[in-house]
Amino acid sequence: DPNEDTEWNDILRHFGILPPKEKPKDEIEEMVLHLRKAAEKPYERMTLEELKEAEDDFDEADRKALEMYRQKRLQEWKCLQRRQKYGELREICGEQYVKEVTNAPEDVWVIIHLYRSSMPMCLLVNEHLSRLARKFPEVKFLKAIVNSCIQNYHDRCLPTILVYKTGEIKGRFIGVAECGGIYLKVEELEWKLAEVGAIETDLEENPKKDIINMMTLSVRNISAHEDTNTKSSDVMKPHIT
């Protein structure tokens, strides 16, 4: 039996008469893991603090690679910290507006909703913005009771959603119609904010596309019907010479 573990078979394998004995699967996996660990640089398993402490233990070539790796880890850490910075719809008052909105960090998008709690549409927008704040934690989502920011603001202009970047307004949605209507869905609001560049949506197309297409088709049908009626009326008019 060539697979039998005997001294004679070992001799035959040594001279190439029999193929090498297959190693157990567990042993192969252990060897692969060992080779991976051997190829892995020691600093690749260290935290940023450990990297700093162990800097003097490496030679010049490793130090250069170490510095590049440390910078990469630092950037990843900063990116993670920024992405986890917000993550909720926060309430502010008029006195905080400049600090929280206008003077926000230049690389941060700010979305603020001016609302009145007595208006159902405003409450709906707040609900949607809360969900979007959790989905896009790198964006600062804020809300403020309108009277604390602007006195005598007309109800017909509510809800009001303002989008800021670098202290400037990059987008605005004023009133029920511009905000998406009383049946607004969270995906539709997400699309609106993505269109002005405030968020990077994973939606592939406008969720309201089918409704818009139906409305366009309806308007065309009405126009065609009116045009037909006009032509019919023209035919029926008496010809006066």
Side-chain angles (χ1 to χ4, degrees):
D1 183 0
N3 294 319
E4 194 174 354
D5 193 12
T6 64
E7 187 177 349
W8 177 246
N9 281 350
D10 288 342
I11 294 170
L12 293 178
R13 290 189 191 98
H14 178 73
F15 286 102
I17 298 171
L18 286 179
K21 183 181 177 183
E22 290 186 4
K23 294 186 179 180
K25 190 175 180 182
D26 290 345
E27 191 177 339
I28 293 172
E29 289 177 355
E30 189 176 334
M31 184 178 291
V32 169
L33 187 61
H34 175 74
L35 290 172
R36 282 180 182 170
K37 285 184 177 179
E40 190 180 54
K41 297 290 184 183
Y43 52 75
E44 292 179 353
R45 299 189 298 272
M46 294 180 177
T47 64
L48 287 170
E49 190 174 331
E50 289 170 340
L51 286 172
K52 189 171 181 64
E53 290 176 357
E55 193 171 353
D56 295 333
D57 298 336
F58 298 100
D59 58 29
E60 187 63 28
D62 273 344
R63 279 179 193 164
K64 289 181 180 178
L66 173 64
E67 180 58 25
M68 289 176 63
Y69 183 73
R70 192 170 71 84
Q71 290 298 327
K72 179 185 173 186
R73 290 288 302 276
L74 190 61
Q75 286 301 113
E76 289 172 352
W77 179 80
K78 285 181 178 179
C79 183
L80 183 63
Q81 288 295 107
R82 195 179 73 174
R83 288 188 66 84
Q84 295 176 343
K85 191 171 183 180
Y86 305 110
E88 64 176 350
L89 177 62
R90 215 158 38 84
E91 180 97 32
I92 66 167
C93 63
E95 294 176 356
Q96 299 170 291
Y97 199 98
V98 173
K99 178 186 174 183
E100 295 286 349
V101 180
T102 314
N103 292 343
E106 290 189 355
D107 61 340
V108 173
W109 284 89
V110 182
I111 297 167
I112 182 164
H113 174 213
L114 303 180
Y115 76 101
R116 207 183 301 282
S117 57
S118 59
M119 296 185 64
M121 181 66 188
C122 289
L123 299 180
L124 178 64
V125 169
N126 277 342
E127 183 182 328
H128 290 343
L129 290 177
S130 291
R131 290 180 60 184
L132 294 175
R134 292 191 293 272
K135 184 175 181 180
F136 302 98
E138 71 278 11
V139 177
K140 184 190 279 193
F141 285 84
L142 303 170
K143 61 179 179 176
I145 294 175
V146 67
N147 287 349
S148 73
C149 301
I150 309 171
Q151 293 297 320
N152 303 318
Y153 197 68
H154 292 293
D155 281 1
R156 68 173 180 271
C157 297
L158 295 176
T160 291
I161 301 173
L162 303 175
V163 182
Y164 281 80
K165 180 80 181 292
T166 61
E168 298 178 358
I169 294 179
K170 301 296 184 181
R172 68 187 81 199
F173 306 97
I174 299 173
V176 173
E178 284 192 18
C179 285
I182 59 173
Y183 300 110
L184 175 70
K185 295 179 180 178
V186 65
E187 294 84 7
E188 294 166 4
L189 183 54
E190 179 178 335
W191 186 266
K192 283 178 174 292
L193 296 175
E195 282 188 315
V196 297
I199 58 177
E200 294 183 9
T201 181
D202 52 5
L203 299 173
E204 294 183 358
E205 61 179 18
N206 188 348
K208 224 166 183 173
K209 182 180 176 183
D210 292 339
I211 298 174
I212 293 170
N213 288 343
M214 286 176 64
M215 289 174 65
T216 304
L217 183 61
S218 178
V219 169
R220 286 176 181 170
N221 287 341
I222 291 170
S223 298
H225 182 69
E226 289 177 348
D227 188 48
T228 302
N229 287 343
T230 301
K231 288 180 179 177
S232 299
S233 299
D234 289 343
V235 170
M236 294 174 68
K237 283 179 183 178
H239 183 65
I240 300 174
T241 56

